[in-house]
Amino acid sequence: MALINPSILSADFARLAEEARAVEGADWLHVDVMDNHFVPNLTLGVPVVESLSRATDTPLDLHLMIEDPDRWAPQYIEAGAGSVTFHVEAAAAPVRLAREIRAKGARASMALKPATPIEPYEDLLPELDMLLIMTVEPGFGGQAFLDIMLPKIRRTRELISRHGLQLGLQVDGGVSAATIERCAEAGADVFVAGSAVYGADDPAKAVRDLREKAETATAAAGWGCAH
């Protein structure tokens, strides 16, 4: 099953509660946390996440694009995050951090920048509930999808299948009606979509349409039959 996670980064920040409710048919609400250090942008923090968790029944999928996630990740779980993604490039002890996130009751997810290969982290996969392959450089919304990430998505799906893991494979960056089928065919099953959802006249319908496209592409792909 394809999961669609609309990115609140593309929503109207003056109306976050309404924008969260506008996509209540979504599987998760993707929340980008940026610190102006790990990435060159600054977004929301713990107090806004706490407010969002009270404003919507859609679970929160936190993407920490920050330095020192080992220190900060637990606070976001306490603020209401149901899933926390940290960047392996920023984590001091990724296995320990993943285990702490799980111990606190959230899903543990690890993100890789476009230039970071998956292969060195193969042994870490059993410690995770999800892996995020960035399909743009992290830090800004609205970027164009990087097709050169498709082989990396395929290799990651092969590793997940080889180890027999029930591990979500998320893609984030430039995901839209024009690109989601390629991502699904390559092996992704969790899709972060920002402007493709919040730029639509009917965000809830955009979520449904994206899910349908992804599931059709997955059904036609070889990996989908064995998943």
Side-chain angles (χ1 to χ4, degrees):
M1 177 182 173
L3 303 182
I4 307 298
N5 298 11
S7 173
I8 204 77
L9 184 65
S10 296
D12 181 351
F13 273 32
R15 302 169 52 247
L16 280 185
E18 296 170 54
E19 296 282 65
R21 287 191 288 269
V23 293
E24 284 186 341
D27 299 286
W28 294 77
L29 189 63
H30 190 80
V31 182
D32 288 309
V33 177
M34 307 183 195
D35 64 357
N36 202 31
H37 294 285
F38 181 70
V39 293
N41 206 343
L42 185 66
T43 58
L44 43 81
V46 171
V48 178
V49 172
E50 287 178 340
S51 297
L52 263 178
S53 69
R54 292 193 297 267
T56 179
D57 292 329
T58 306
L60 302 185
D61 171 32
L62 268 285
H63 180 189
L64 303 183
M65 288 176 269
I66 63 175
E67 292 182 352
D68 200 8
D70 306 70
R71 175 187 177 189
W72 296 107
Q75 293 188 35
Y76 284 96
I77 300 169
E78 293 165 9
S83 179
V84 175
T85 300
F86 60 88
H87 269 266
V88 71
E89 302 92 351
V95 172
R96 184 177 65 198
L97 178 54
R99 290 180 178 181
E100 183 176 8
I101 291 170
R102 281 176 155 181
K104 288 185 175 293
R107 298 191 316 169
S109 172
M110 187 173 77
L112 279 67
K113 288 182 176 183
T116 303
I118 178 60
E119 287 76 10
Y121 304 104
E122 179 178 355
D123 292 343
L124 274 63
L125 297 182
E127 302 289 341
L128 304 170
D129 299 294
M130 186 170 70
L131 189 79
L132 167 56
I133 302 295
M134 292 298 300
T135 44
V136 299
E137 290 293 340
F140 295 93
Q143 296 182 65
F145 179 79
L146 294 174
D147 281 281
I148 58 171
M149 291 299 102
L150 292 172
K152 182 177 174 181
I153 296 169
R154 290 191 182 94
R155 293 196 307 273
T156 304
R157 172 54 62 190
E158 289 167 3
L159 287 177
I160 292 170
S161 299
R162 188 185 308 160
H163 289 276
L165 299 171
Q166 295 298 314
L167 181 66
L169 179 49
Q170 186 178 61
V171 287
D172 180 4
V175 176
S176 67
T179 61
I180 195 168
E181 290 169 310
R182 278 175 278 165
C183 295
E185 186 277 331
D189 56 5
V190 187
F191 307 87
V192 177
S195 53
V197 170
Y198 281 110
D201 292 334
D202 185 341
K205 182 178 184 299
V207 168
R208 294 193 299 270
D209 290 347
L210 287 169
R211 185 183 288 116
E212 182 179 355
K213 281 180 174 289
E215 292 185 344
T216 299
T218 299
W223 76 267
C225 298
H227 184 51

